[in-house]
Amino acid sequence: MMLWAKFFRIRQNLVGSLWFFPLLGLVVGGLLALVVREVDAVITLPSAWEFEASAAQELLTIVVEVAGVLAGFVVAVSVVVLELHADSFPRYLRLLYRDRFHLAVVTFILGTVSFAFTLLAFGGSAEIPPLGVAISGLFLIVSFVLFVVFLNHLVHQLRPVAVAADVTKTARKLMAARDQSGGSVVTKEESPPGEPTLVIQAQRSGSVQALNEAALVRWASQHGCQLRSKVAAGDYIIAGQPVMEVFGTRPPGDSTTPIHAMVAMGIERTIERDPAFPVRILVDSAARALSSAINDPTTAVQMLDYLEELLRMIGAQPLGTMRYCDESGQPRLVVPGRTWEDYLTLAVTEIREYGASSVQVMRRLRAMLEDLREVLPADRRPAVEAELDRLDQTLAASFGGKVDHDRAVVSDRQGIGGPGRG
């Protein structure tokens, strides 16, 4: 329990690092070479697998050099892509770091370099195992295949729509795996009664990445009290800012130390426990496309396609402040959560503001809102209706008296050019 937040941060750093898996590949490649040397000493290979000592050395040298060049090229291209995404999709970089295929390619190629180099370093002119030479050649062929697939993957990944698809895919997995067992939506009237007996303050500044709800419930149950979190995933808090309020029995001062280990903090938000973050990424991409420097409303329409998918998933889930109970059914923890109105405002407001002069953005935005009104539960519809009213007011201000007003007020899932639209 005490180490949960630390382990969470370590896991986030390792998963998002660009050095851990390549370093692991180097280590595993070297160890595998040593294993192959031992295996080669106890098995008999066909004569066709035998190599002259000089030929074996030359082949391994070629593998090391060629695989090293491939690894250097992959790293160089990756740096260029990171620079491009840093300018166009700055908040997407955290997901780009986690691209498993990219890390797998770099890891395998560096593992090939390490494997062949270890065979050269530990084998004399007559001690290079033929099995190791054959495996090195096979690894080099696989490295070339991975390199070609990597280039194809990279080219497709540069497109804005690919970024949106990747973000949405990750968000879909997040929501499917989101653990809300024991949690239920509460109203403000059901919040802990009375004044808090203790306020726990943050020891350091940073973005809240996750809360360990299960551990917080256990702690509150052990101390016979109820907790109310003052922060939610995605919040940036300052050292000394209230993090948790304790209601009921006041625990001893030193017993509150574990609370800090149940709130994971880092230098930035993470998509794993923050469903609003993928929405933020897509909205930022759309806003950037609508800027005067880029002026690409079609890309904004593509972002709205994926935003609609996210909003459908979010709107079907229980939203709002969550209450968690212990095994006896006693309320122990209240955590603030975003409402449907919060998510909808985040997804729509800036795109409506920056795309107010674009006919196709207004049409696609209307289509999204009308579809959400039709498919989501009845309690979600008032917020959608309110956004449609705001859209009408925006259109009146932007296109009132203009020749394209009649076209801007039409609903079109393709923005402009959809079948059967004006």
Side-chain angles (χ1 to χ4, degrees), residues 175 305-317 340 364 367-368 370-377 380 413:
M175 294 178 190
D305 294 339
Y306 289 96
L307 273 171
E308 181 177 350
E309 181 179 354
L310 281 180
L311 289 173
R312 285 193 181 204
M313 290 187 289
I314 292 171
Q317 294 187 343
W340 167 243
R364 181 63 185 96
M368 181 185 78
E370 289 179 351
D371 288 347
L372 290 174
R373 182 177 57 186
E374 294 298 322
V375 302
L376 291 180
R380 307 293 194 218
R413 293 190 60 83

Side-chain angles (χ1 to χ4, degrees), residues 122-202:
F122 283 84
S125 59
E127 296 181 5
I128 296 178
L131 179 61
V133 177
I135 293 177
S136 295
L138 178 62
F139 282 178
L140 184 61
I141 293 173
V142 175
S143 296
F144 272 113
V145 173
L146 289 176
F147 177 70
V148 173
V149 178
F150 165 77
L151 290 179
N152 177 74
H153 175 75
L154 199 64
V155 169
H156 286 84
Q157 197 178 37
L158 288 173
R159 299 172 300 149
V161 68
V163 173
D166 190 28
V167 170
T168 305
K169 179 181 177 181
T170 304
R172 190 184 303 116
K173 292 179 180 178
L174 161 70
M175 294 178 190
R178 193 178 179 190
D179 182 13
Q180 289 186 334
S181 59
S184 59
V185 179
V186 301
T187 62
K188 291 183 178 179
E189 290 75 16
E190 295 173 342
S191 297
E195 294 297 322
T197 55
L198 180 65
V199 177
I200 301 173
Q201 299 177 331

